[in-house]
Each structure stands twice: as C-alpha cells, then as structure tokens.
Amino acid sequence: MNILARDLPPLKISNWLIFFLFICVMFDIRDNRINAVYLFFTVYFSLYIHELAHSIIGKCFGYVTEYISLDITHGLCKFKDLKWLENPRPQFYISVAGPLSNLILAAVLLPIDNTASYLNVIFGCFNLIPIMPLDGGHMLWAILKKYTKEHVYILHTISTLVGIYAMYFFRKNYIVLVVLFLFTLANAIQSTRSQDEW
C-alpha cells in the first residue's frame, strides 16, 4: 500500500472545491441526510479516476505526471513534459484512457449504485465528444495530425460543427448548453487561426 501511495501523483484540491464541499455539508445538515455529500464524493472520485487513468497511460509512454488537480468544474492531469502532445500515438491513448476509465467504472458500479454508474456513463460519453478541449477533441487531433498537415484547422472546424449539433441536442440542459457554447465559440475562433497549439 505504501509503494502504491508513493507511485500516485500528488493531488491538488482547489479552495473553491473545499468550499463547495462545505456547502454540500450544510445542505445535508439542514435536510438531515447525506445526499449532497454522497453525490459530491461520487462525482469527484469519478473525476479523479478519470485523471489518474490519463496519468497511468502517460507513464506507460514515459511521461511523468507532475500532479493531478481537482476544481469545481474540471480536473487536470499535468505532465512534466508536454511532448506527448507532439506525438499522435501517445496523445490518442492518453486521451482515450480517461473516458474509458469512466465507462469501466460505470460497469463496476452498476450492481452497487445505479446513480454513480449513470453519472460515469454520462461523464465518459460527454468527454468523447470530438470538441476541444475534451478528450474526444484530443483523440481527433491525434488522428488528424497523423494524416494531414492541416490538422489544426480541420480539427477546430469539425469541433465547431459538432459543438453546434451538441448544443441543439442538449438545448434543454442549460448548464451543458452554456459549457458547449463556450467550447464551440473557442473552437470557432481557433479555426480562423493557424496556430499549432491549443
């Protein structure tokens, strides 16, 4: 267990996330239940597993994780070396590891907790949408980069079109709609430029 703990990358938790946990605790105390806290730990445990999967596959390719961070709206696996973004093969496998881990976790949790399983299915599938900066966008970038020099322009153009369709699909979910709008807007702007980095 000690060896495993030493192998795990450092975990950084934002102050905002701690504050959010405090709010969940207050809600549960008020309602005399543990629903909010349980949901909190379900969501952010799943998010941690997602980022840890990126880290493990990155390590298989020789990339060391500097740290994993969790914030209210996202998680981050920070590699010490960004060269994984330059090589399509590790970029694809590192990116697909996150959503795949959530789908596997969903299958494991299905007999235990339907809600936790459902959340992981949604989380995994959402991250597979081919729009930057989601994992699906990185996977598409890796595939395009292998076959064309115009991968940046094509990627952000496709991401913009996918984002528009996804916004229509999630038009009744205002939170997801706003997130997708921001991603789509960023991709639309990026598609007009000739940068090689996101």
Side-chain angles (χ1 to χ4, degrees):
M1 183 63 70
N2 290 334
I3 294 176
L4 179 60
R6 284 199 300 268
D7 289 340
L8 293 176
L11 175 61
K12 294 184 177 182
I13 299 176
S14 75
N15 293 331
W16 284 111
L17 187 58
I18 296 173
F19 178 68
F20 184 47
L21 174 58
F22 174 76
I23 292 175
C24 290
V25 171
M26 291 298 100
F27 272 114
D28 281 349
I29 291 175
R30 185 196 66 180
D31 299 335
N32 195 26
R33 57 185 183 180
I34 59 170
N35 289 5
V37 171
Y38 177 75
L39 185 61
F40 176 93
F41 282 106
T42 299
V43 169
Y44 290 102
F45 172 74
S46 301
L47 183 58
Y48 175 72
I49 293 299
H50 179 103
E51 300 303 332
L52 184 61
H54 287 317
S55 174
I56 291 172
I57 300 303
K59 190 174 182 180
C60 293
F61 284 98
Y63 300 108
V64 178
T65 303
E66 188 174 341
Y67 60 82
I68 290 175
S69 67
L70 297 180
D71 208 335
I72 291 181
T73 58
H74 67 280
L76 173 68
C77 175
K78 177 69 169 62
F79 290 105
K80 293 182 178 179
D81 188 348
L82 293 181
K83 288 184 178 179
W84 69 280
L85 290 170
E86 301 173 4
N87 192 329
R89 188 164 179 267
Q91 183 179 14
F92 179 86
Y93 286 108
I94 291 171
S95 298
V96 77
L100 184 59
S101 71
N102 290 119
L103 296 178
I104 293 173
L105 187 58
V108 172
L109 292 173
L110 184 59
I112 306 170
D113 187 335
N114 288 338
T115 301
S117 177
Y118 177 75
L119 284 172
N120 274 277
V121 169
I122 295 299
F123 189 35
C125 291
F126 181 78
N127 270 279
L128 285 173
I129 297 175
I131 179 172
M132 293 296 285
L134 299 178
D135 293 319
H138 281 287
M139 292 162 59
L140 179 60
W141 191 347
I143 293 170
L144 291 172
K145 191 171 185 177
K146 185 175 181 179
Y147 296 106
T148 176
K149 294 181 179 179
E150 300 294 329
H151 61 279
V152 176
Y153 174 76
I154 295 174
L155 167 72
H156 295 298
T157 301
I158 292 175
S159 291
T160 300
L161 295 174
V162 170
I164 293 171
Y165 175 78
M167 282 192 295
Y168 175 78
F169 185 80
F170 289 102
R171 63 189 182 279
K172 294 182 180 180
N173 189 321
Y174 296 114
I175 296 176
V176 177
L177 183 64
V178 170
V179 172
L180 286 171
F181 171 76
L182 294 174
F183 287 171
T184 303
L185 179 62
N187 278 279
I189 294 172
Q190 195 72 12
S191 67
T192 64
R193 301 175 180 174
S194 59
Q195 297 179 3
D196 290 328
E197 296 180 359
W198 174 261

